[in-house]
Amino acid sequence: MAGTSRPPAGGRLLADRAFLSRMLSARAFSGRASSGRVRGAFVLRHLVRFVISLAALLVASFAMIHLIPGDPVRAALGPTAPVELVAARRAALGLDQPILSQLASYVRNVLGGQFGTSFLSGEPVGEVIAARLPSTLALALLATVFAMLVAVPLGMWAGIRTENGRNRGTDAAFTSVTGTAVAVPEFLYSIALVAVFAIGLGWFPPAGKGGPVSYVLPILALAIAPAAMIARISRAETQRELGSDYVRLARAKRLPAARLYVRHVLPNTLTATLTMGGLLLTGLIAGSVLVEYVFAWPGLGMRIVESITQKDYPVAQGVILVYGVIVLTVNFLVDLLLGVLDPTSALKES
């Protein structure tokens, strides 16, 4: 009968394939949409945390000048300063206003780029920061790049060479040297480098910012300890990857070692290294305070030491706020970058 006639076998096969193709396309679209929602939620979550952290930093920097025992204006101007001068300076800084009014005024000024004026020089704090921030950022960024370029290959080489307990001498030397290097603070490296390479050998200037040569010792002083830390992490990550199934399969297929390590193992070790690199940059910016002081480097670190010792609180307040914003921004960007490079981190958080 015409109503019960069955289509030919070839037609059914084509119909089944078309149906399967539509199902796969719908599933792929659904997967992409779900992935987009997860990433959007990931970005939004970190953005909210970033904004909350900025607000907490703003309040903390405001509270700093109010937590100083006694009268900060009196402390800055000295015990012999006339009462009228102290009162006038307090009024100029708005410190005679109610605390909530001071907070509102402070937030409004900071958001408008106004950080107040220096107690000592009368310069706008924003101009002081703008003049010195590039020197600090240049030092921290160059030290970070140097540390990463040295530490990642070194850690990977050590991981490959000491795989499965081989070359115990290399293992002991690597562990001892990097462990010691991590434990030494930056300012001791600064003093040692100046004593050996500037005063002893005369190869580099002992202080100041001049040509490219003047960058060498401050960068080394900042980068040695973080490079040792990153090398240890890179080594551990490399050894973990070398025990993976895909590495055993690649070796069974006699994939060239250089191709295996560079194209397959290295990218999988960079997630933890990149995370550490972000923390490293923020740590270097904070750690540059003493290094800049030792090398008389004209950056924010040098200025914050001067402002604290001279009780120039508006400058110290502004510099600390800028340091905090840089640290929070770098951490936020690193979180976003990790969400792109390692989507499982976004899925885990969801």
Side-chain angles (χ1 to χ4, degrees):
M1 295 187 299
T4 58
S5 60
R6 302 174 61 185
R12 286 203 310 274
L13 181 60
L14 290 176
D16 290 344
R17 287 182 175 176
F19 177 74
L20 180 60
S21 176
R22 287 196 297 274
M23 288 290 293
L24 292 176
S25 299
R27 181 168 296 181
F29 176 78
S30 175
R32 286 195 296 271
S34 176
S35 175
R37 284 195 296 273
V38 169
R39 290 190 177 185
F42 176 81
V43 172
L44 181 61
R45 193 162 43 247
H46 282 271
L47 184 60
V48 170
R49 291 176 187 171
F50 176 64
V51 173
I52 292 174
S53 301
L54 283 180
L57 172 66
L58 202 57
V59 174
S61 64
F62 168 78
M64 184 191 80
I65 199 166
H66 294 275
L67 293 176
I68 297 170
D71 186 346
V73 178
R74 167 66 68 183
L77 297 179
T80 60
V83 176
E84 295 77 11
L85 177 60
V86 174
R89 185 60 61 88
R90 285 178 57 81
L93 294 173
L95 295 177
D96 56 345
Q97 299 295 318
I99 190 73
L100 291 180
S101 298
Q102 292 183 41
L103 177 60
S105 176
Y106 175 72
V107 172
R108 188 167 53 250
N109 289 337
V110 169
L111 294 180
Q114 301 296 324
F115 297 91
T117 56
S118 168
F119 275 170
L120 301 179
S121 64
E123 294 177 273
V125 176
E127 292 183 5
V128 174
I129 294 172
R132 292 184 173 252
L133 182 59
S135 296
T136 296
L137 288 181
L139 203 60
L141 288 173
L142 289 173
T144 302
V145 171
F146 176 78
M148 297 290 283
L149 290 178
V150 172
V152 173
L154 177 62
M156 195 168 182
W157 171 82
I160 295 168
R161 186 167 173 79
T162 60
E163 183 184 5
N164 297 324
R166 294 185 289 114
N167 298 307
R168 293 184 181 277
T170 302
D171 186 20
F174 178 85
T175 305
S176 302
V177 171
T178 54
T180 304
V182 169
V184 178
E186 287 91 349
F187 75 92
L188 286 183
Y189 284 124
S190 304
I191 295 172
L193 289 170
V194 169
V196 174
F197 295 103
I199 298 175
L201 299 174
W203 292 352
F204 302 101
K209 180 183 176 185
V213 177
S214 64
Y215 283 79
V216 175
L217 295 185
I219 288 175
L220 284 177
L222 276 175
I224 291 175
M229 175 63 75
I230 293 177
R232 292 171 72 93
I233 294 174
S234 178
R235 172 177 175 260
E237 289 294 307
T238 300
Q239 289 188 330
R240 183 176 62 82
E241 289 299 320
L242 292 178
S244 303
D245 291 338
Y246 76 90
V247 173
R248 285 194 286 270
L249 178 62
R251 284 173 169 169
K253 290 187 174 184
R254 299 185 183 280
L255 194 70
R259 185 178 177 187
L260 170 63
Y261 297 143
V262 175
R263 292 193 56 182
H264 299 285
V265 175
L266 177 61
N268 291 320
T269 66
L270 289 181
T271 300
T273 307
L274 183 60
T275 305
M276 190 64 198
L279 299 176
L280 164 68
L281 177 59
T282 57
L284 286 180
I285 292 174
S288 65
V289 172
L290 291 178
V291 173
E292 287 184 7
Y293 190 71
V294 171
F295 287 99
W297 190 261
L300 282 181
M302 183 76 176
R303 193 69 179 87
I304 194 173
V305 173
E306 293 173 352
S307 63
I308 290 173
T309 55
Q310 297 172 352
K311 299 179 180 178
D312 195 355
Y313 297 120
V315 175
Q317 193 178 37
V319 174
I320 289 173
L321 183 62
V322 169
Y323 270 112
V325 170
I326 292 173
V327 170
L328 292 176
T329 303
V330 171
N331 287 335
F332 173 65
L333 294 177
V334 168
D335 286 340
L336 295 186
L337 187 58
L338 286 176
V340 174
L341 296 178
D342 183 15
T344 56
S345 61
L347 292 173
K348 287 176 183 175
E349 285 195 15
S350 67

